[in-house]
Amino acid sequence: MTNKKPHTVIIGGGFGGLFTALDLAGTGEVTLISDEDHFLFTPMLYEYFSGEVEEWHIAPNHKELLDESVNFIRDEVANVDLDARLVTLKNNDQSLSYDVLVIAVGGVTNYAGVPGAAEFSIPFRKIAHADELRLRMVEALDHVPPDLPPQDTQRALTFAVVGAGASGMELSTKMADLLRDAFKRRALNGEPRVLVIEMGDKILPGMGSEIRGHVEDALRDSHVEVHTLTRVVKVTEKSLTFEHNGVKTEIETAAVVWAGGVRMNPLVEDLKVEKTSRGLILVDPTLQVRSHSNVFAIGDIAFFRDATPTLAGTAQLALQEAGLLAQNVKAFLSGKELSTRHFEELGEAVSLGTERAAVLVGGKAFAGPLARQARFALYTARLPTWHHRLRVGASWFFEGTAPRPLLPLGLQR
Ligand SMILES: Cc1cc2nc3c(=O)[nH]c(=O)nc-3n(C[C@H](O)[C@H](O)[C@H](O)COP(=O)(O)OP(=O)(O)OC[C@H]3O[C@@H](n4cnc5c(N)ncnc54)[C@H](O)[C@@H]3O)c2cc1C
């Protein structure tokens, strides 16, 4: 009999991992390992890109959020040995042993094997990606003189977004609004061009029809061109080639953003556990990995049967699962029965350009500037920890949430 506290190791500091760690604080020894030093509230990465919110609002440091009862290690987990109960880190030779393991590593961008996509397009999953895209847009604008004819201006300021899911819609409308504002401020000729390229036959494939109409209005108002049934076949440093009805077209691009899907995290690909045909870890209704009762998986990498199908691959699901998971880890460690739960859609909110949003709550959708305010209010409530929510809520209320214009590089603050 030993007095050693049971050690729970959580891999991944996103929605699933961080919220589990917050709920488990003080339950034995808890270690959170993540390759980023901060949490990221991804639903507002678009507002960070447009300058409507600050980095500290949506990407608070893990050490600020977690109390001293949780150890935080910033590193990438290189390997998990489920039989030896060991986790190996990329930048530290020592392995960590665990009693309970929580796998919450999320997905990675899926370039679907398109030539040049991984090298030349910008993914949109992290703070660094939003910074890179914004910089690319400012640099492109800085190269265009005000007396350039409209057709040449548009050619030099053509941006493409790949994928017409919620991410592609939110990002393209923000990009278009920021660019049109920059055109006015810099007195440029003509209009910028923002295209969305989508392989499927419609926008927002996973979303209900209630919100779709509002998004279509926003795309029209922001002058975003949507090309459905169109496949990207090649990306280079300065161009994109797409195919529609068997015809290939190459266009000059100032930047291509890849919002075209998510694939399995390589760490999960290497794990020898039961998975779905898409590579998701099959978990029991208690979130335990089949064949290893001390291992739990959560969020984008896990297949949880009892959830509304539209919740798959969302922060909403990871967040709800985290509550159940923490409860079950506590039960597991104290030898009690584990629980299960059904997860429902909590409502949808998409940001549309820099002045509007569309929100769906209780089956009713509304859009416009008021929906934008409602979205901010809704998301304040979902940020991690009360302390952080209060600080951010006060900042949005007193300091405002106006976008930051794409000023010339020399004039940036
Ligand atoms: C731009 C964007 C906008 C989104 N908007 C919405 C939205 O409006 N509503 C919604 O419901 N969902 C949204 N999502 C989806 C949502 O972000 C995910 O479903 C959710 O984050 C999944 O949570 P998770 O814990 O599984 O993974 P994540 O939140 O992705 O967290 C995984 C963490 O693990 C870390 N990690 C990965 N591999 C390793 C490793 N080997 N070692 C250590 N750490 C590792 C990652 O860096 C990351 O911090 C959005 C996603 C993106 C990218």
Side-chain angles (χ1 to χ4, degrees):
M1 193 67 185
T2 143
N3 284 332
K4 203 170 154 284
K5 287 181 180 174
H7 187 199
T8 301
V9 170
I10 303 167
I11 313 174
F15 276 92
L18 173 74
F19 281 87
T20 301
L22 288 168
D23 278 4
L24 279 182
T27 308
E29 194 187 342
V30 179
T31 301
L32 173 66
I33 309 169
S34 201
D35 55 6
E36 298 274 358
D37 63 356
H38 57 266
F39 167 71
L40 178 60
F41 192 84
T42 47
M44 292 201 117
L45 190 56
Y46 316 101
E47 278 89 344
Y48 168 74
F49 157 73
S50 60
E52 291 163 82
V53 305
E54 305 287 336
E55 183 171 353
W56 71 267
H57 295 151
I58 64 152
N61 213 281
H62 282 307
K63 287 199 169 150
E64 273 171 34
L65 298 171
L66 295 163
D67 67 28
E68 60 285 352
S69 71
V70 178
N71 314 311
F72 175 69
I73 299 176
R74 183 181 181 183
D75 208 332
E76 185 183 322
V77 170
N79 184 52
V80 174
D81 185 334
L82 293 174
D83 296 324
R85 299 187 172 195
L86 285 178
V87 165
T88 312
L89 303 177
K90 193 173 168 199
N91 301 306
N92 190 323
D93 291 340
Q94 265 191 330
S95 300
L96 265 86
S97 68
Y98 60 81
D99 298 294
V100 170
L101 180 70
V102 177
I103 308 170
V105 286
V108 296
T109 300
N110 184 1
Y111 297 102
V114 172
E119 293 95 310
F120 300 113
S121 63
I122 305 174
F124 198 76
R125 300 186 62 80
K126 295 185 182 285
I127 287 282
H129 303 149
D131 288 341
E132 186 184 347
L133 175 59
R134 203 177 154 93
L135 180 65
R136 195 80 82 78
M137 288 168 76
V138 169
E139 283 174 347
L141 283 160
D142 285 359
H143 276 95
V144 174
D147 58 356
L148 199 68
Q151 59 276 38
D152 296 337
T153 303
Q154 185 169 76
R155 194 172 314 119
L157 293 171
T158 294
F159 294 84
V161 176
V162 183
S167 208
M169 300 294 94
E170 298 190 67
L171 192 56
S172 60
T173 49
K174 288 246 189 266
M175 289 167 72
D177 282 8
L178 285 176
L179 285 165
R180 282 170 354 114
D181 171 76
F183 263 58
K184 278 196 217 121
R185 288 172 190 270
R186 297 168 183 240
L188 299 182
N189 285 317
E191 276 220 17
R193 187 178 185 203
V194 177
L195 306 97
V196 176
I197 314 282
E198 166 61 46
M199 212 161 63
D201 62 351
K202 58 174 185 285
I203 62 163
L204 297 172
M207 250 185 209
S209 54
E210 302 90 341
I211 241 171
R212 195 185 304 271
H214 294 299
V215 177
E216 280 165 353
D217 290 346
L219 291 166
R220 217 171 12 253
D221 292 351
S222 297
H223 303 199
V224 173
E225 269 176 52
V226 180
H227 297 253
T228 49
L229 295 172
T230 304
R231 219 159 45 87
V232 176
V233 291
K234 191 174 158 196
V235 183
T236 71
E237 199 180 354
K238 294 201 167 125
S239 75
L240 173 138
T241 307
F242 56 77
E243 185 179 334
H244 176 72
N245 276 345
V247 180
K248 284 190 187 158
T249 310
E250 182 174 10
I251 53 166
E252 197 180 305
T253 47
V256 175
V257 193
W258 202 271
V262 178
R263 71 170 180 83
M264 206 27 66
N265 190 300
L267 190 72
V268 173
E269 278 173 348
D270 292 345
L271 280 182
K272 306 263 175 304
V273 293
E274 219 178 315
K275 296 181 194 158
T276 66
S277 55
R278 288 185 48 227
L280 298 167
I281 299 178
L282 266 171
V283 288
D284 283 331
T286 51
L287 291 166
Q288 284 163 299
V289 171
R290 296 185 176 174
S291 71
H292 290 83
S293 63
N294 65 327
V295 180
F296 295 75
I298 187 173
D300 284 3
I301 51 122
F303 179 72
F304 183 83
R305 218 174 282 277
D306 198 9
T308 305
T310 51
L311 278 181
T314 66
Q316 289 193 39
L317 180 61
L319 197 67
Q320 296 186 67
E321 287 175 338
L324 174 65
L325 200 156
Q327 186 187 326
N328 279 347
V329 169
K330 287 177 194 170
F332 179 82
L333 291 174
S334 52
K336 295 196 180 128
E337 200 178 325
L338 275 60
S339 325
T340 185
R341 214 172 286 158
H342 172 71
F343 298 119
E344 290 280 355
E345 179 87 63
L346 302 173
E348 282 165 3
V350 289
S351 161
L352 297 169
T354 51
E355 279 156 27
R356 289 153 302 168
V359 173
L360 177 70
V361 206
K364 293 228 174 335
F366 66 109
L370 202 65
R372 179 178 179 273
Q373 297 302 337
R375 186 170 183 275
F376 271 91
L378 185 76
Y379 283 166
T380 317
R382 295 201 189 145
L383 291 169
T385 80
W386 273 106
H387 180 69
H388 187 63
R389 273 172 227 155
L390 287 173
R391 282 183 66 213
V392 172
S395 166
W396 288 345
F397 187 77
F398 292 111
E399 289 155 32
T401 54
R404 275 181 205 280
L406 297 174
L407 298 177
L409 260 188
L411 299 179
Q412 304 261 338
R413 280 201 292 135

